[in-house]
Amino acid sequence: MGMFTCPMRIETMDGRRSLDLEATVDTGAAYTVVPETKLHELGVEPRGLRRFKIADGTTIEGAFGEVLATIDGDTVTTIVIFGADSGPTLLGAYTLEGLALAVDPLQQRLVPAVMIL
């Protein structure tokens, strides 16, 4: 699948502050990743730490928080990882599933999905 981006809004859990982002769709990433500085500027605080395996096989520990994520008018509470400030914003599988979205790899876009119970 080729990589593509999509617009996404994240908001604090109280909905008082928001940030519009262009996120790279990454179904290989479990969670959505946003540069740490952007999350701090928005007022998102870490809720804990999680362990992650990155592309080179190394295991790292990173902070996570919670935000409201909106794509195409649909909003869901989701986990967000405090990423490196030099890194991209990634839209991960947890957020995509929460929004009931799937990837259309041919058209490089997100489409509504029928979820499995």
Side-chain angles (χ1 to χ4, degrees):
M1 172 181 94
M3 300 214 342
F4 64 96
T5 63
C6 76
M8 172 178 69
R9 171 173 284 170
I10 60 171
E11 298 175 66
T12 54
M13 293 300 292
D14 62 11
R16 291 186 189 179
R17 295 169 63 183
S18 65
L19 179 63
D20 291 321
L21 302 166
E22 193 70 21
T24 299
V25 177
D26 186 354
T27 58
Y31 298 113
T32 294
V33 180
V34 176
E36 182 175 22
T37 300
K38 290 183 180 182
L39 290 173
H40 285 303
E41 288 172 359
L42 189 60
V44 177
E45 295 294 327
R47 295 185 48 91
L49 298 173
R50 296 261 167 98
R51 294 179 67 205
F52 304 99
K53 189 168 289 223
I54 58 176
D56 69 2
T58 305
T59 300
I60 63 169
E61 194 169 68
F64 73 91
E66 292 179 309
V67 299
L68 298 172
T70 303
I71 296 176
D72 291 335
D74 289 327
T75 302
V76 69
T77 300
T78 194
I79 292 172
V80 65
I81 306 305
F82 288 71
D85 286 332
S86 60
T89 296
L90 300 176
L91 177 57
Y94 184 89
T95 305
L96 289 171
E97 288 185 17
L99 290 164
L101 292 172
V103 174
D104 175 346
L106 296 177
Q107 298 295 315
Q108 293 193 340
R109 63 186 178 133
L110 297 176
V111 295
V114 175
M115 305 305 291
I116 299 169
L117 286 179

